[in-house]
Amino acid sequence: MATMTMAKALNAALADALLEDDRVLVFGEDVGQLGGVFRITDGLQARFGDKRCFDTPLAEAGIVGFAVGLAMSGLRPVVEMQFDAFAYPAFEQIASHVAKLRNRTRGKLSVPMVIRVPYAGGIGGVEHHCDSSEAYYAHTPGLKVVTPATVSDAYSLLREAIDDPDPVVFLEPKKLYFASGEAQLPARTEPFGRAVVRRAGTDATLVAYGPAVPVALEAAEAAREEGWDLEVVDVRTLVPFDDGTIADSVRRTGRCVVISEAQGFAGVGAEIAARVQERCFHALHAPVLRVSGLDIPYPAPMLEHTHLPSVDRILDTVARLQWDDQPDPRWLTQGSAA
Amino acid sequence: MATMTMAKALNAALADALLEDDRVLVFGEDVGQLGGVFRITDGLQARFGDKRCFDTPLAEAGIVGFAVGLAMSGLRPVVEMQFDAFAYPAFEQIASHVAKLRNRTRGKLSVPMVIRVPYAGGIGGVEHHCDSSEAYYAHTPGLKVVTPATVSDAYSLLREAIDDPDPVVFLEPKKLYFASGEAQLPARTEPFGRAVVRRAGTDATLVAYGPAVPVALEAAEAAREEGWDLEVVDVRTLVPFDDGTIADSVRRTGRCVVISEAQGFAGVGAEIAARVQERCFHALHAPVLRVSGLDIPYPAPMLEHTHLPSVDRILDTVARLQWDDQPDPRWLTQGSAA
Amino acid sequence: MTTTPQAVRRASPRTRRPATPAATDPAAGLLPQTEPVRLLDPDGTPLPARDDYPEPPIEALREMYRRMVVGRRFDTQATALTKQGRLAVYPSSRGQEACQVGAVLALRDDDWVFPTYRESMALVSRGIDPVEVLTLLRGDWHCGYDPAARRTAPQCTPLATQCVHAAGLAYGESYQGRDTVALAFIGDGATSEGDFHEGVNFAAVFKAPVVYFVQNNKYAISVPLSRQTAAPSLAYKGVGYGVPSEQVDGNDPVAVLAVLTRAVAHARAGHGPYLVEAHTYRMEPHTNADDATRYRDADEVEAWRDRDPVARLETYLRARGALDDAAVAEIAGQAEAYAADLRERMNAQPTVDPMSLFDHVYAEPTPQLVEQREQVRAELAAAAEGDA
Amino acid sequence: MTTTPQAVRRASPRTRRPATPAATDPAAGLLPQTEPVRLLDPDGTPLPARDDYPEPPIEALREMYRRMVVGRRFDTQATALTKQGRLAVYPSSRGQEACQVGAVLALRDDDWVFPTYRESMALVSRGIDPVEVLTLLRGDWHCGYDPAARRTAPQCTPLATQCVHAAGLAYGESYQGRDTVALAFIGDGATSEGDFHEGVNFAAVFKAPVVYFVQNNKYAISVPLSRQTAAPSLAYKGVGYGVPSEQVDGNDPVAVLAVLTRAVAHARAGHGPYLVEAHTYRMEPHTNADDATRYRDADEVEAWRDRDPVARLETYLRARGALDDAAVAEIAGQAEAYAADLRERMNAQPTVDPMSLFDHVYAEPTPQLVEQREQVRAELAAAAEGDA
Ligand SMILES: Cc1ncc(C[n+]2csc(CCOP(=O)(O)OP(=O)(O)O)c2C)c(N)n1
Ligand SMILES: Cc1ncc(C[n+]2csc(CCOP(=O)(O)OP(=O)(O)O)c2C)c(N)n1
Ligand SMILES: [Mg+2]
Ligand SMILES: [Mg+2]
C-alpha cells in the first residue's frame, strides 16, 4: 500500500492502459504537453509519444465525434472534457451517437470509449467549472456512468471503463483529485456495477456517490454524537445501478437518505429515492429523504458552501427520519394546494 | 366552444401573441413559408411578414444563441426546434446561457424566450424524431418546463409562456398535435404552475404529463372494469412543480402511479415519485410505482408500442398497489445483492 | 472615457484587396474555381478537354450510367412503396443521380462512406441490399445493413454529425497503416451546423483522408440556399480550414466523377481532406411527407428537368458509341428486375422480435434492463394467452 | 458492383486554380490581405501611409496610449491581487493591450461588446468599474457590472458561444431601428468551436452589424495555433461566410485601431459583419494557475517583448510630438492612482448574502425554491445561534 492522490491513480490507470493496449488513444484539450489542466495526463505524451496522447482543436463535439470515428476504426479512445459544463457542446454527439450506435446497428458497430469529465464543485471554481452533470448522462440509455470516490476505485474503475465494450462517461470528482488515500496499484476493487458499503451501521443508510461520499462518511462520524449509527453506501456506478446492495442495506436499517451534490430536481438522487421506496417500502420507517445541491445554477465560489450538501444539512435530514415514530410535521402541513 | 386540433390552438396562440406584442418574433427551421414541418406556424409569415416569422440557417445552437441576443435587445423570441433530438446541438446554449443569464447578472439581464420542442413518440417516427427530452431541461435550474395535454392548455400555456419573464422550454407532444378537443379561444386555463385533476377518483392517483395524460385517462376508464376508481392528475408544468395538487390527491387516494413516456431512469417520473413518497409517506398503502418508457434508445416505429406506457402496463402496475394489503412479493424477493 | 475617434468611416472595403493576388497567395491553391467544373453541356455535348480534369475512362462512365439508371428506378420504387404504406417515409434523391453514383464510383470498396438519410441510392449503388437499406425507413430497425462489413456508416440523421465521424475514422485508418479514404456526404443546409465546421477542421488538422462532398441541392427542406449562407458558394468554406476545394456541376456525371476521383486521389495520397460542392437539384419534395409546392415554383423544377443527369450521360455515351438502343434496353431491364425484386421482398411483412429491444443497448443488458425484459416477456405472454 | 475507375489519380491539385483570378472573382472582396496590415514598424517607426487604412487622428492615438498604460497597470494589479489570494483566478491580457483598447476605441459607447474572460482590460478601458469587472474572478458573483447599462455582455466563458449572441443582439438592434454595432471578442482556439461558425454565419445571413475580432495570441491554454487550424490564417475563414475579413498586426496599435474602425464603419453602414484577426501574443501564462514553461520556450516569449505595443505607440507618439516626458509621467501617475484605488477597494472583504442565491434563478422563486430558501434560512439561523 502507498499513499497517493486520486489524480495520480487516474494517471497511472491511463498509463497502464496505454501500455497494455495498443488501441488506446488519449486525447482532448491540453492533455498533451501540458498534461491536462488537472495534470491527469501528465507525462503520458512524453512516455507514449504524441500519436498516443495528443491535443486536438478546441471543439468538444469534434473531440467526441472524432472518438466515434476512431472507435469505428477499431481504436479505443479515452477523451478528456476539460470541465463538466464544457462537455455540453458534445451533448448531441454523446446522446445521439455514442449512446446509440450499438443499438442502431444491432450490435454490428460498437463505439467503446471513455469520456472523462472532471465534475462537481467544492474547489472554489468560477461559473461553468463546477456543474454536476451526471443526470444528463445517466438518463441517456446506452451510456454507462461511473464516478469513483476513492483512490483505489479511481484506478480500478477507470481501467474497467477503458476495457468495457460500451461507452462510459467517467465522472471524476474534482475536489477529490488531490485528496490522498491508500492504494496498491494496479488496484482491482469491486467489479463494475457494484455498490459498496463504505461504513456499516444499523440505524439508517446514507446513499451517496462521487464527491458526496466523503461528506456522507463525515456526517456518519458526526452522527455518532447524536446517537445514530449510520451506514454509508457508495454507489460507484450510476449505470448500471446496484439495486441489491442498496436495498439490502435499507431493509436492514429501515431508513434512508440519498445524498448527491447536483441540483436535486430530476437528478440521480431522485432516481435512487424512487427505487429505494419501490423496493423497500415495507421496511421503511420514514420516507426516503434527499440531500442535494439547491435547485439553482452553481453559485459563485463565495457561496458554494451554502449550495453543497453539508454535514449539518445531512444531520438535519437524518433528524427528520421520524426516530420517535411520529410523522414529520413538515410533510403534513406543507404541500397542500395553495 | 369549437372543436379544433392542438396544432391549430398552438398556431392561434402564436398568431395572437404576434398580434398583441410587437416584440414577439417567431423563427427556426422551415417555420416561414412552409409553416413548419408540423404546420404549427402555418400562415404566420404571410400574415405578419418575414421579419416577424422567418427561417434561419440550419443550426440549432445558432437559433437559440441568436434568440439570446435578440432577447438581450428587448425582443421576445419564440423559436422552434424541429424535433426533440435536434435540440441537442443547442444544449450548451440552453444550459449555460438561456438558463443562467438572469442568475449570472443578478437579474440585470434576462432572456425571456420560448423554445418550442415537438417531443415524444407515438407517431411512428424514425430515430431521433421521438425522444422524450424533458428531463434534460427540468433538471436545469433557470428553465421553466411546460407540456400541455389538452387543446385549451396548448393555447393558454403557450400564451403564458410567451408572456413569462423567464425562459420556457415548451414541449409539445407530437402525437397530440392532430388530436381534436373542445376549446374556446382565447382560452385561459389554470395558471402556469398548477397541476390539474383531469379525472376524479378515490382508489389511486395516476400522475401524468404531456403525451401520457390521454393514456392515463384511458387506463382510468379501463380500470373501472377491474373495480378501481382512479384519479388522474395532469402535471402541466414540470417546472415550477405543483406539489400541492398532487400531494392532496395522493393523500386522499393513498396510492400513486407516475406515468411518463420517457425512459425512466433519472427522469421526471423519478422526481415525482420521490416527492410524493416524501410528502405522503404516511398516507401511502403501497410504494409509489412508475410506468415509463423502457431504459432503451427510442425504438424503431414497429416496436414503439412495446416501449411506450400502455393501458395494459398501467393496469398491471395499478394491480401491484397492494390492494389486499400484502406487500408486493416482487420487491421482497428481488433486488437482493447478487 | 467617452471619446471615440471620428476617423475613417467609409463604405465597404470590398475593393481594397488587389483582385489579382500574387501567385504566392496562400488562398490560391485552396479556393475553388470561380465556375463549377463542367465537362458536358447540359444537352450532353462534350466541352473542350481540360488538363486539370481529364475525362474518366469510358468503361467507368458506362458503369456509371448503368448504376444511375438502376438507382433512379430504385428511387422511384421506394417512393411507390411509401405511397403504399410500406415505408414510413422516403427522402428521394431523384435528380442527384450523378452525385449519388459518382461518389460511390470514385471510391474503392474498402473505402468508407458516411451517408445521410438522402443517400439510399448511393448505398444500393454500392451494392448494399436495397431491403437492408430501406429497413430504417420501413421502421423495423434503425439500420438494416452491417456497417462494418459494408464500410458504410449508418445513414445519419442528426445533420452534419457524420462529418466528425468521418474525420475520426479516416484518421484511425491511416493511424493503423491503412490507405482507406472516407467520403462524407452532406447537404447544403447542414453546412450551417457547427459539426460541419468541427469535422472539416479536425480532418484538416489531422490530415485525415476525407472527401467532404456537399450536394448543394438548393434546399434544406423548404429553406433555400440564400437563407443558409451569404458565401459566393459553399466550396469557399474550404480555405478557412486550409482545405483545397472545388465546385462542380452536380448534374454533369462526367465532371462529378472526374472531380471526385481527383479529390479521392488527393486524400489517398496523404494530402489531407478535400471539399467538393456539387450544384444539383432535388427534383422531388424533401420527403414524401413534404409539400414542395408551398415553397417553390413548378417553373423552377421544370428548368432543372432540362439538366437531367441520366439523359445527359446517355446522350454523351451514345455519341461516343459506348451505348446503343440494345444496351439501353438491357440496362432498363436490369433496373426493372431490380425494382421487381425489391417490390416483392418489401411486400413480405417483416417480423421484429420485441425482446430484441433489450439486446443491443449494451453489450450485456444491465440488471435494470433484465428486469424490464422480464416484465415485457410477462406482458407478451399474458397478451398471447388473452389472444388464445 | 466492384469496379472502380482507375482514372486520374494524381497528386495534390494545388496548382489548378489560376494564381491570378479574374477581377470578378467573388472571393476577391472577401479575403484578407496576404500580410497582416501594419502601419508602424515594431520599433515604432511609421510605415508609408496607405489609402486603404488611413491613420487614425492623433488625439485618438494619444487616448489609446493612455488607456493602454492604465490597462496594463490594471492587469498587473489584478495579477498581484491573485497572488495575494484576493482573486480566485485571473487571465492576463498583457501584450494584447493594442487589441483590448483598440476594440473599445473603435466603438461608440452605445455599441455592444461581447467579451470573453480575457477581456478584463477592455472592460475597464470601456469605463466599467474595475471592482465590478473583477467580481467574477473574486468569486462573489458571476458578473459584477450591469450588462444592459454598460452595453457589455457578461464575460463569456463557454468558448465561442458569444459569437451567436452578438449576431442576435446586433440584428435585434437594427431590427428596432438602432444603428448599434456589436463587437465580439474571440480567441484563436475558440474559432474551432461550432458556435463560431454558427455565429458568423447567422450574422452574415441576417446582415447583422457585428465585428468578430479574433485575438490570435497563438495559444489556447497550451495548444499552439498549429494544432488548431491548417488555414493560411484565421482571417481566411470569412470568405466561407461571405464576410469580408482582414488580418492585422495586433501589436501595432495604430493598425489595430485603423482596421477596427473600418470594420465598425462597414458594419454600421449596413454591409453586415466583418472579421478581423489580430496577430498578437499572450505574454503571461493562460491564467495565474497555468504553468506556461511546460509548453513554450522563454526565447519565444522574449522575442515578443521586442514588439511590445505600449512601447511601440509611445515611441511613435513621441516622434510625432504628441507625447513628452511630462505627459508620460502624468499618465503613469493616473495608472498608479487607478491601481492604488483598485487595490484598496479589493482589500475590503465583500459580503454576499446567501439568501440572494434564491433571488435570481427566476423572476419569482418557484415554490420549490421558496421551500429550499426557508430551509437555508433555518440553517443559517441555527448556525448563528450556535456561534452565539
Ligand atoms: C440537427 C438536425 N436538425 C434538424 C434536422 C431536421 N432536418 C432533416 S433534413 C433537414 C434539411 C437538410 O437539408 P440539407 O442539408 O440541404 O440536405 P437535403 O435534405 O437537401 O439533402 C432538416 C432540417 C436534423 N435531421 N438534424
Ligand atoms: C466550451 C469550452 N471548452 C473549454 C473551455 C476551457 N478553456 C477556457 S480558455 C481555453 C482556451 C481558449 O483559447 P483561445 O480561444 O485561444 O483564447 P485565449 O485564452 O488565448 O484568449 C479553454 C480550452 C471553455 N471555457 N469552454
Ligand atoms: Mg439540400
Ligand atoms: Mg489564444
Side-chain angles (χ1 to χ4, degrees), chain A:
Chain A
M1 286 297 212
T3 304
M4 70 182 76
T5 60
M6 186 184 279
K8 179 72 204 119
L10 292 166
N11 179 266
L14 293 173
D16 292 352
L18 281 161
L19 194 67
E20 288 175 26
D21 187 345
D22 268 358
R23 299 169 307 167
V24 173
L25 301 184
V26 172
F27 56 97
E29 295 158 8
D30 301 292
V31 301
Q33 234 179 313
L34 184 63
V37 293
F38 290 106
R39 305 289 186 268
I40 306 302
T41 58
D42 193 23
L44 299 181
Q45 184 173 79
R47 182 160 164 210
F48 296 97
D50 65 2
K51 298 278 173 232
R52 303 287 308 281
C53 175
F54 53 88
D55 294 330
T56 64
L58 214 175
E60 293 78 9
I63 292 169
V64 172
F66 198 67
V68 166
L70 288 171
M72 285 171 64
S73 85
L75 298 166
R76 287 275 176 157
V78 179
V79 305
E80 178 172 304
M81 301 279 100
Q82 201 160 79
F83 283 86
D84 28 69
F86 306 144
Y88 298 159
F91 191 70
E92 181 189 34
Q93 285 285 353
I94 296 174
S96 290
H97 289 302
V98 175
K100 293 181 177 163
L101 266 161
R102 173 189 290 283
N103 185 258
R104 179 172 304 145
T105 62
R106 286 187 167 115
K108 300 286 187 215
L109 211 62
S110 63
V111 288
M113 67 172 70
V114 177
I115 302 176
R116 294 180 40 243
V117 186
Y119 88 124
I123 58 160
V126 294
E127 214 195 349
H128 309 291
H129 293 76
C130 302
D131 281 15
S132 283
S133 45
E134 69 272 16
Y136 300 129
Y137 307 114
H139 184 57
T140 305
L143 302 176
K144 290 180 176 168
V145 183
V146 184
T147 181
T150 70
V151 174
S152 297
D153 261 6
Y155 180 93
S156 185
L157 288 169
L158 184 50
R159 291 299 305 273
E160 285 186 288
I162 296 172
D163 289 342
D164 202 272
D166 292 306
V168 179
V169 177
F170 193 89
L171 298 160
E172 302 172 359
K174 278 181 224 93
K175 75 166 192 198
L176 301 183
Y177 270 150
F178 302 106
S180 290
E182 293 292 304
Q184 172 77 53
L185 300 191
R188 283 295 162 134
T189 57
E190 296 74 14
F192 216 83
R194 271 293 185 77
V196 162
V197 175
R198 291 269 174 236
R199 181 190 198 281
T202 52
D203 295 343
T205 303
L206 304 183
V207 181
Y209 57 85
V213 173
V215 188
L217 286 168
E218 215 188 307
E221 269 319 299
R224 286 168 56 179
E225 279 183 34
E226 317 269 336
W228 294 313
D229 180 18
L230 304 184
E231 180 144 315
V232 176
V233 182
D234 175 356
V235 183
R236 301 174 75 246
T237 65
L238 307 182
V239 181
F241 188 83
D242 182 356
D243 282 308
T245 301
I246 290 162
D248 279 353
S249 170
V250 176
R251 288 203 189 105
R252 266 190 281 106
T253 62
R255 289 178 171 84
C256 179
V257 175
V258 182
I259 305 161
S260 57
E261 204 182 289
Q263 62 276 17
F265 199 88
V268 171
E271 178 63 36
I272 299 175
R275 299 183 88 76
V276 167
Q277 63 87 34
E278 279 165 9
R279 284 163 176 72
C280 309
F281 185 72
H282 291 278
L284 284 171
H285 302 305
V288 179
L289 298 182
R290 292 179 282 166
V291 179
S292 68
L294 305 169
D295 284 311
I296 62 173
Y298 200 91
M302 289 193 189
L303 291 175
E304 69 175 351
H305 59 279
T306 307
H307 173 65
L308 294 175
S310 61
V311 168
D312 277 353
R313 196 170 289 162
I314 294 171
L315 293 181
D316 286 353
T317 307
V318 171
R320 285 171 40 227
L321 288 173
Q322 306 179 23
W323 299 96
D324 51 5
D325 275 319
Q326 291 303 305
D328 185 343
R330 187 175 156 120
W331 303 134
L332 295 185
T333 56
Q334 281 197 11
S336 309

Side-chain angles (χ1 to χ4, degrees), chain A residues 92, chain B residues 29-30 58 60 82 86 89, chain C residues 117-118 157-159 187-190 193 217 219-221 282 286:
Chain A
E92 181 189 34
Chain B
E29 295 158 9
D30 301 291
L58 214 175
E60 293 76 11
Q82 200 159 80
F86 307 145
Chain C
Y117 51 88
R118 190 154 320 277
T157 302
L159 295 168
D188 47 313
E193 294 276 8
N217 64 7
Y219 288 91
I221 306 188
R282 195 195 73 204
H286 173 66

Side-chain angles (χ1 to χ4, degrees), chain B residues 195-253:
Chain B
V196 162
V197 175
R198 291 269 173 236
R199 181 189 198 283
T202 52
D203 296 340
T205 303
L206 305 182
V207 181
Y209 58 84
V213 173
V215 189
L217 287 168
E218 215 188 306
E221 269 319 298
R224 286 167 57 181
E225 278 183 35
E226 317 270 337
W228 295 313
D229 181 17
L230 304 184
E231 180 146 312
V232 176
V233 182
D234 175 357
V235 183
R236 300 174 76 248
T237 66
L238 307 182
V239 181
F241 189 83
D242 182 354
D243 281 308
T245 301
I246 290 161
D248 278 353
S249 170
V250 177
R251 287 204 189 101
R252 267 190 281 105
T253 62

Side-chain angles (χ1 to χ4, degrees), chain A residues 126, chain B residues 106, chain D residues 71 74-75 78 81 87-91 93 100 115-147 150 152-156 338 342 345-346:
Chain A
V126 294
Chain B
R106 286 186 166 117
Chain D
F74 159 82
D75 190 82
L81 286 165
L87 297 181
V89 63
Y90 181 71
S93 51
Q100 297 275 316
T116 79
Y117 51 89
R118 184 144 337 267
E119 270 68 66
S120 296
M121 193 193 292
L123 301 199
V124 303
S125 192
R126 233 193 164 202
I128 303 179
D129 182 337
V131 173
E132 290 182 2
V133 170
L134 294 178
T135 297
L136 164 69
L137 302 171
R138 180 165 65 178
D140 35 325
W141 205 271
H142 312 298
C143 176
Y145 51 90
D146 179 340
R150 307 311 312 230
T152 305
Q155 288 182 268
C156 189
Y338 191 91
L342 173 61
R345 288 162 65 216
M346 289 297 287

Side-chain angles (χ1 to χ4, degrees), chain C residues 313-350:
Chain C
L313 184 55
E314 183 177 328
T315 306
Y316 176 64
L317 290 174
R318 280 182 186 270
R320 285 278 309 268
L323 206 61
D324 58 16
D325 287 350
V328 167
E330 195 209 315
I331 290 169
Q334 285 176 19
E336 279 314 314
Y338 191 91
D341 173 65
L342 174 60
R343 202 161 49 231
E344 189 179 325
R345 289 163 63 215
M346 290 298 286
N347 274 335
Q349 183 60 31

Side-chain angles (χ1 to χ4, degrees), chain A residues 136 139-140 244 251 266 282 322, chain B residues 136 140 265 271 282 322 331 335:
Chain A
Y136 300 129
H139 184 57
T140 305
R251 288 203 189 105
H282 291 278
Q322 306 179 23
Chain B
Y136 300 129
T140 304
F265 199 89
E271 178 64 35
H282 291 279
Q322 305 178 22
W331 302 136

Side-chain angles (χ1 to χ4, degrees), chain D residues 24-377:
Chain D
T24 55
D25 189 333
L30 303 172
L31 287 168
Q33 309 205 26
T34 53
E35 290 298 320
V37 174
R38 182 180 275 184
L39 299 178
L40 294 186
D41 252 354
D43 67 4
T45 317
L47 293 164
R50 44 196 288 174
D51 282 351
D52 54 354
Y53 290 110
E55 191 180 303
I58 193 77
E59 320 82 68
L61 294 175
R62 202 174 174 283
E63 175 61 13
M64 191 170 182
Y65 172 77
R66 197 184 68 73
R67 295 198 201 186
M68 285 169 65
V69 170
V70 175
R72 174 170 290 186
R73 188 62 190 86
F74 159 82
D75 190 82
T76 321
Q77 189 57 52
T79 296
L81 286 165
T82 312
K83 293 214 176 91
Q84 292 153 29
R86 286 278 166 215
L87 297 181
V89 63
Y90 181 71
S92 164
S93 51
R94 189 183 187 89
Q96 303 178 209
E97 289 85 356
C99 298
Q100 297 275 316
V101 174
V104 165
L105 280 176
L107 295 170
R108 294 196 317 229
D109 277 1
D110 65 339
D111 286 334
W112 270 81
V113 169
F114 287 78
T116 79
Y117 51 89
R118 184 144 337 267
E119 270 68 66
S120 296
M121 193 193 292
L123 301 199
V124 303
S125 192
R126 233 193 164 202
I128 303 179
D129 182 337
V131 173
E132 290 182 2
V133 170
L134 294 178
T135 297
L136 164 69
L137 302 171
R138 180 165 65 178
D140 35 325
W141 205 271
H142 312 298
C143 176
Y145 51 90
D146 179 340
R150 307 311 312 230
R151 311 282 278 180
T152 305
Q155 288 182 268
C156 189
T157 302
L159 294 168
T161 54
Q162 75 279 7
C163 292
V164 209
H165 306 163
L169 182 283
Y171 178 73
E173 290 283 303
S174 64
Y175 175 83
Q176 291 169 91
R178 301 190 279 264
D179 72 343
T180 319
V181 169
L183 182 142
F185 285 97
I186 180 166
D188 47 313
T191 63
S192 297
E193 292 276 7
D195 276 17
F196 168 77
H197 177 76
E198 300 190 14
V200 179
N201 193 45
F202 266 68
V205 167
F206 288 97
K207 267 189 169 273
V210 190
V211 175
Y212 289 101
F213 184 38
V214 183
Q215 285 174 90
N216 174 357
N217 65 6
K218 305 295 178 291
Y219 288 91
I221 307 186
S222 71
V223 181
L225 189 66
S226 60
R227 300 293 300 172
Q228 216 61 252
T229 185
S233 102
L234 297 169
Y236 283 78
K237 293 187 186 291
V239 61
Y241 308 104
V243 171
S245 309
E246 191 55 280
Q247 45 180 334
V248 61
D249 179 339
N251 284 22
D252 174 349
V254 181
V256 168
L257 186 56
V259 168
L260 285 176
T261 298
R262 180 163 209 168
V264 169
H266 171 93
R268 197 173 328 271
H271 301 305
Y274 204 101
L275 177 67
V276 176
E277 176 191 21
H279 295 272
T280 181
Y281 195 78
R282 195 194 74 205
M283 297 302 291
E284 297 287 315
H286 173 67
T287 69
N288 58 292
D290 179 36
D291 175 5
T293 62
R294 281 184 165 244
Y295 54 83
R296 66 185 190 186
D297 287 345
D299 287 359
E300 180 184 298
V301 183
E302 273 321 304
W304 278 90
R305 271 193 223 295
D306 298 339
R307 312 197 213 164
D308 181 47
V310 179
R312 194 159 168 183
L313 184 55
E314 182 177 329
T315 306
Y316 176 64
L317 290 174
R318 280 182 187 269
R320 285 280 307 269
L323 207 61
D324 58 16
D325 287 351
V328 167
E330 196 209 312
I331 290 169
Q334 284 176 19
E336 279 313 315
Y338 191 91
D341 173 66
L342 173 61
R343 203 163 46 233
E344 191 178 322
R345 288 162 65 216
M346 289 297 287
N347 275 335
Q349 183 59 30
T351 54
V352 212
D353 179 7
M355 299 312 291
S356 65
L357 283 176
F358 302 96
D359 292 345
H360 307 296
V361 184
Y362 300 95
E364 296 293 332
T366 61
Q368 286 67 46
L369 284 174
V370 169
E371 203 175 294
Q372 292 171 29
R373 184 172 65 187
E374 294 322 306
Q375 180 190 336
V376 168
R377 200 192 298 282

